[in-house]
Amino acid sequence: MSVIRRTEARRTETPNAVMTTLASPTQGGSALAMWRVEMAAGGQGPLHAFDVEQVWTVLTGALSVELGEDAFALAAGDTAVLPAGVARRISAGEAVTALVAAPGGARVSVAGRPEEEPFVPGWIA
């Protein structure tokens, strides 16, 4: 069993959100990564695609998910399962806190970045 103390959580700030890694392979966890996302009202992430499935659970606030050609509204208590390989953009209609889980080491491609340069975000490593 691994115990990851709150003092060991990794915090990553971007212009769009704050991600706090709660568990990941590099923190002594299994192959699963879990992190908390906090976005201010009006915050919006870049258009991007993961090579693995992600599960988002909204704890507080509301957000919208552009997923391929579709759009979905999520509120506190809602969970969305986002499939691998589909472009998505997450936007906060109001301040939002969510828990996200995905396999550790997932690779991300960001629109506008060369396709041959997918990367592993620090919060899922």
Side-chain angles (χ1 to χ4, degrees):
M1 178 178 110
S2 296
V3 175
I4 302 160
R5 304 287 179 199
R6 94 180 114 194
T7 56
E8 298 167 327
R10 273 194 313 261
R11 181 180 165 97
T12 304
E13 291 189 44
T14 71
N16 312 307
V18 174
M19 281 70 63
T20 303
T21 306
L22 303 171
S24 72
T26 60
Q27 290 172 301
S30 68
L32 183 66
M34 184 171 73
W35 62 99
R36 181 177 56 245
V37 175
E38 298 168 290
M39 292 180 80
Q44 183 177 69
L47 184 62
H48 63 286
F50 275 83
D51 66 348
V52 297
E53 179 179 270
Q54 277 187 320
V55 177
W56 281 69
T57 298
V58 179
L59 300 177
T60 64
L63 58 80
S64 63
V65 179
E66 295 173 39
L67 184 66
E69 299 295 317
D70 298 314
F72 304 92
L74 300 174
D78 293 342
T79 296
V81 180
L82 306 180
V86 180
R88 81 268 322 257
R89 182 187 321 265
I90 310 295
S91 302
E94 56 186 76
V96 67
T97 301
L99 284 180
V100 184
R107 297 181 68 80
V108 179
S109 298
V110 177
R113 188 176 171 148
E115 287 186 32
E116 64 275 3
E117 293 184 19
F119 67 101
V120 177
W123 56 92
I124 58 176

